[in-house]
Structure formats: C-alpha cells, structure tokens
Amino acid sequence: MTEPISTASQAKMVTRKDTPQDLVAIVPLRAFTCVSCGDTGWLLVMEDAGPHCLTCADLDHLVFVPAGDAALSRRARRSSGLSATVVKFSRSRKRYERQGILVEPEALELAEQQCLSDEDARRRRRERDQLRREAEDVEFQARMAAAIIRLFPGCPERRAEQIALHTGQRGSGRVGRSAAGRALDNNAITLSVVASIRHEDTEYDRLLMASVPRIEARERVRPAVDRVLDLWRAGRR
C-alpha cells in the first residue's frame, strides 16, 4: 500500500503551481508495488494506473539533488533536459513538502562547477576586501599615532604607534574604533592614551589581580596616570 494520493496533479500543485507540467516523484511513506513491473524503490511516480517505480517512469537515470542549496538546485534544473521535483507527504502538516529534485548527472556536474566558480570569485573578493581593510587600518592607525603625538608631544613615537595599533584594532570595540575615535576626537584619543598609561605605567593590573575593585584601582593609580599625562603634554618624557 502507499500513502493516499488521488492523482499526480495533486502532488504537483503542492510544489509548483505555476508549472502544472512539472514532473513529480514521491517519497513513499510505506512500501509500494509498481503497477508495471511489480518492483519497488525509494521513489514513485503516480500515474492514472497507479504508482510506478523510477525505471518504469523512465526517470531512473536521473540523480537526486537534496533541497538546501538553492543555487545548485536552480542551476542543475536549468541545465537538465529532464527533471522532476521530489516531494514527501508530511502527516503533521497534512501536505506534500519538497525534498529536492531529480536531474541529469551532467546537469548536476555542470551546476557544481558553476557553484565552485562562484565560491572562487567570492573568495577572491573576500581577499581583496581584507587587503583593502588592512590598508585602511594601517592608514587610520598612522593618523591616530600622529594625533597622539600632536596632543602629547612627549609621548615616544613608538609608544604612540603601539597605542594606535591597540586601540584602533578593527572589531575590538575599543575607543579607537568608536565613532569619536575614528574621527580622531581629542577626548577619544586622550582616553586611549590614559588606558595605555594605566596598564603600562602603573600598578593597575597588579591591583586588579589582587581583587581590588576596578573603580577603586583606577582611583589609586589616577595620580600616577596624571603625572605621565602632564609630562607628555609638556613635551617631556
């Protein structure tokens, strides 16, 4: 026995209403017997006389392309002289649902090559975008380092470059990547310098490791931070 199917067109309406001539192969919910040869299979094609296996329906030379890759399915169907939509009846939803398509092997091979070509193109585009972003980052970090030296002429050049590299790292979420930081706002630049001094020139990190609350640790090191800021603003190191 097979699942209840009145006519082949009933299954066709589920998949492609705009093309009623589209061939449909059905994944049976129970074992079936082909009315032509008495054999069975994993798919059936419903005709007026009853269910037919793929061989008797002249579709056994086609290969199955599961649903999930829209580009592959679209290209394979377009290149295939003969194709069929594969559906399965969902008992919970009370309807036929698309499982994939049957296409000629050559069409599938061509579609796979085309999709690989697309992936190669996307990979090359990603590489170009990455190079462009890296160049933009280098240029931005150089401008930020120059802005740091402008505000704090006593800051060593190498230190300014390190601060710019750290705070201007793409995707870091640090102040250098904020809108103000990208605009080289003086306050944003100062905050970046302060953060660097706090970690590199004070006992702030050691206090944190000693379980001192962050706000308290910042207050303790504030005088040391201010001393370095004053020196760098005055052009001294």
Side-chain angles (χ1 to χ4, degrees):
M1 295 179 63
T2 63
E3 64 277 13
I5 304 173
S6 58
T7 64
S9 59
Q10 189 175 18
K12 294 174 187 176
M13 291 173 60
V14 176
T15 55
R16 298 183 67 186
K17 297 179 180 180
D18 57 331
T19 54
Q21 75 277 13
D22 188 37
L23 295 175
V24 175
I26 302 167
V27 180
L29 299 183
R30 295 182 293 273
F32 76 96
T33 299
C34 176
V35 297
S36 293
C37 68
D39 203 350
T40 187
W42 78 282
L43 291 175
L44 67 86
V45 176
M46 182 61 68
E47 297 180 355
D48 290 339
H52 287 70
C53 66
L54 291 184
T55 300
C56 293
D58 295 326
L59 299 177
D60 59 332
H61 64 295
L62 303 181
V63 294
F64 178 61
V65 182
D69 190 328
L72 180 65
S73 297
R74 182 175 61 254
R75 284 171 164 161
R77 184 188 287 277
R78 186 169 59 235
S79 300
S80 187
L82 179 65
S83 64
T85 299
V86 177
V87 298
K88 183 177 182 180
F89 188 76
S90 170
R91 288 195 177 101
S92 61
R93 296 184 176 88
K94 306 300 181 184
R95 68 189 185 200
Y96 284 94
E97 297 181 338
R98 185 177 181 276
Q99 305 298 304
I101 58 174
L102 295 174
V103 296
E104 296 166 338
E106 300 79 7
L108 176 57
E109 183 177 351
L110 176 60
E112 288 173 338
Q113 292 173 354
Q114 292 171 337
C115 288
L116 285 174
S117 297
D118 278 357
E119 177 55 34
D120 287 342
R122 286 193 292 269
R123 176 181 54 79
R124 289 193 295 270
R125 184 165 59 247
R126 288 195 298 269
E127 290 173 351
R128 289 195 300 271
D129 290 344
Q130 178 65 24
L131 290 174
R132 174 183 54 77
R133 287 192 295 269
E134 289 175 355
E136 290 174 350
D137 287 349
V138 169
E139 189 270 340
F140 167 68
Q141 289 161 3
R143 289 192 294 113
M144 175 171 279
I148 291 172
I149 296 297
R150 175 176 54 81
L151 288 178
F152 302 95
C155 178
E157 182 177 342
R158 181 57 181 162
R159 181 68 177 276
E161 292 173 352
Q162 291 174 343
I163 294 173
L165 178 63
H166 177 75
T167 194
Q169 183 178 357
R170 186 182 295 268
S172 65
R174 302 185 183 110
V175 67
R177 297 308 304 188
S178 66
R182 292 195 301 274
L184 300 180
D185 175 78
N186 288 350
N187 184 59
I189 292 173
T190 299
L191 290 175
S192 298
V193 173
V194 167
S196 175
I197 295 172
R198 186 183 294 130
H199 288 288
E200 299 292 333
D201 303 290
T202 74
E203 59 176 358
Y204 179 69
D205 290 355
R206 185 182 64 78
L207 293 173
L208 293 182
M209 292 299 294
S211 300
V212 175
R214 181 177 60 86
I215 300 301
E216 181 181 342
R218 286 194 173 195
E219 288 300 320
R220 287 194 192 183
V221 302
R222 183 185 297 276
V225 172
D226 289 342
R227 281 195 298 271
V228 176
L229 287 176
D230 290 341
L231 285 173
W232 286 359
R233 284 194 182 100
R236 299 196 301 273
R237 301 178 183 177

